[in-house]
Amino acid sequence: MSDSVDAPKKAAPRSLVRLAVRLVGPVLLVVVLLRMRDTQAAWDALLSASLLPLGLAFLLNAGVCWLKMLRTDALLQARGYQYPRKRAWLGFLATIFLGLFTPGRVGDVLRAQYFRHDLGMPYSEGVAVVVVDRLCDLYVLVAFVAIGVARWSSVVVGDLALFTWGGVLLTALGPLVLFVPSFAQTAMRAIYKKMPGDPTGEGFDRFLRALRAQRPRHLASAVVLTILAFGVNYLQGYLIAQSLHLDLTLYDVLCLLAVASLLGLLPISVSGLGVRELFFSVVFPALGHPGEAGLIYGLVVFLVIYVGVAAMGFVGWHLAPPPLGGEPGKGRAA
């Protein structure tokens, strides 16, 4: 009895620590705001922003989400499942909405729940599809980040450069252990056995089989769709720069947003808020713009892209509420 009473008490400090870590980014944002020298000029630039490029950038959020939904559809087809487009679209938006405002990968777990409910797909297979989906994001991002880090070599120097390139290398190599049978079958299966509901670890065996069963043509389609989605993201960043009257090339924007996206993966912020703005304020002087312009640019990127996607996800959440109960559906193609 005492153990059950003490468990919530032990969990509370851990929750507070996780919350405190997540607030590091917003605290950094406040610090950068307080250190702004020409506050009036920065806000004047924001108020004079052109609305047409901002509106186009906002509308392109739908294109990014649609491309990523098509990518998931390609991966599902490789497993023999057909997902109705409307349901797939709304469910994808709902999981994005949850993922933007929760720590960890709660949105990805919810996607596996949608697959189980709507398609009758076992959790292990659903998680495998989500993992491959995320790996596409990760490796395409790493390629763009490498370009970005090389571009900012004059700013990212010394130990910072070593740390950054090391992070890129580890990010690229880390997930590959899932494809090494000897390591994955021993170490990872032992961890999976400790998860509730599957003491034998057989679910992890199914997960690995599903993970490695993707066909090359489907993977190639997924990678191409991922590159296109990132390309639309960078076009959004370029339009935002144009709306703020910033003299940035599409190549500059690509390098800026790629590195900012990698920094946004750090568990010290919500969608990279604060970390992204700090990075932009440091890099913008190398582009001939004041650091304050980088701060404002980062904030507008957050509002147009991240908050814009969250607004779309909010609609999807209410039109296709998360399937938290009921019997699994049947969606495997004949």
Side-chain angles (χ1 to χ4, degrees), residues 69-312:
M69 184 273 292
L70 291 179
R71 178 183 65 189
T72 303
D73 186 60
L75 297 176
L76 287 172
Q77 288 184 26
R79 300 296 301 151
Y81 291 90
Q82 297 289 340
Y83 208 166
R85 259 322 139 69
K86 181 179 178 181
R87 178 65 176 179
W89 169 248
L90 294 176
F92 181 76
L93 292 179
T95 59
I96 287 179
F97 173 72
L98 181 65
L100 285 174
F101 295 101
T102 54
R105 292 298 178 187
V106 179
D108 292 339
V109 175
L110 182 60
R111 291 177 70 189
Q113 173 65 18
Y114 272 101
F115 296 158
R116 179 179 182 274
H117 181 272
D118 297 340
L119 304 176
M121 176 180 278
Y123 277 122
S124 53
E125 286 193 44
V127 171
V129 170
V130 172
V131 167
V132 175
D133 198 71
R134 283 298 183 182
L135 287 177
C136 290
D137 273 333
L138 181 63
Y139 285 112
V140 171
L141 174 60
V142 165
F144 284 122
V145 167
I147 297 173
V149 173
R151 170 68 174 85
W152 309 123
S153 58
S154 60
V155 178
V156 182
V157 295
D159 292 339
L160 180 58
L162 183 62
F163 175 80
T164 305
W165 280 112
V168 171
L169 183 62
L170 290 175
T171 301
L173 296 179
L176 295 180
V177 299
L178 292 174
F179 297 91
V180 180
S182 60
F183 180 87
Q185 291 292 145
T186 54
M188 300 297 288
R189 191 171 185 272
I191 296 174
Y192 198 87
K193 281 184 177 181
K194 298 180 180 180
M195 298 177 67
D198 188 19
T200 65
E202 293 179 359
F204 185 69
D205 292 334
R206 290 196 299 271
F207 164 77
L208 285 179
R209 287 196 297 270
L211 186 66
R212 298 165 182 162
Q214 290 293 332
R215 301 169 186 171
R217 66 185 181 90
H218 291 96
L219 287 175
S221 298
V223 170
V224 170
L225 288 168
T226 304
I227 294 173
L228 291 175
F230 274 92
V232 175
N233 262 145
Y234 301 144
L235 178 59
Q236 289 177 283
Y238 178 74
L239 289 171
I240 292 172
Q242 294 299 302
S243 74
L244 295 174
H245 313 294
L246 295 172
D247 185 19
L248 297 177
T249 66
L250 185 59
Y251 176 60
D252 291 332
V253 170
L254 181 154
C255 297
L256 283 168
L257 294 188
V259 178
S261 296
L262 182 65
L263 294 175
L265 297 178
L266 298 174
I268 60 173
S269 179
V270 177
S271 300
L273 183 63
V275 181
R276 173 179 47 251
E277 288 72 25
L278 175 61
F279 172 68
F280 288 170
S281 68
V282 172
V283 171
F284 260 56
L287 296 169
H289 297 286
E292 290 83 357
L295 171 62
I296 295 301
Y297 178 70
L299 288 174
V300 177
V301 166
F302 174 74
L303 290 174
V304 173
I305 297 180
Y306 292 90
V307 177
V309 170
M312 294 174 54

Side-chain angles (χ1 to χ4, degrees), residues 9-91:
K9 295 181 180 179
K10 294 178 181 178
R14 289 196 295 268
S15 299
L16 291 175
V17 170
R18 285 195 294 267
L19 177 61
V21 171
R22 299 286 287 184
L23 291 176
V24 170
V27 170
L28 289 174
L29 176 60
V30 172
V31 172
V32 175
L33 285 170
L34 293 176
R35 294 180 60 185
M36 288 179 63
R37 296 179 180 178
D38 196 351
T39 306
Q40 188 59 45
W43 289 114
D44 287 344
L46 179 61
L47 294 174
S48 65
S50 302
L51 296 181
L52 180 58
L54 281 181
L56 290 175
F58 177 82
L59 292 176
L60 285 174
N61 285 321
V64 175
C65 293
W66 185 260
L67 287 168
K68 292 188 175 182
M69 184 273 292
L70 291 179
R71 178 183 65 189
T72 303
D73 186 60
L75 297 176
L76 287 172
Q77 288 184 26
R79 300 296 301 151
Y81 291 90
Q82 297 289 340
Y83 208 166
R85 259 322 139 69
K86 181 179 178 181
R87 178 65 176 179
W89 169 248
L90 294 176

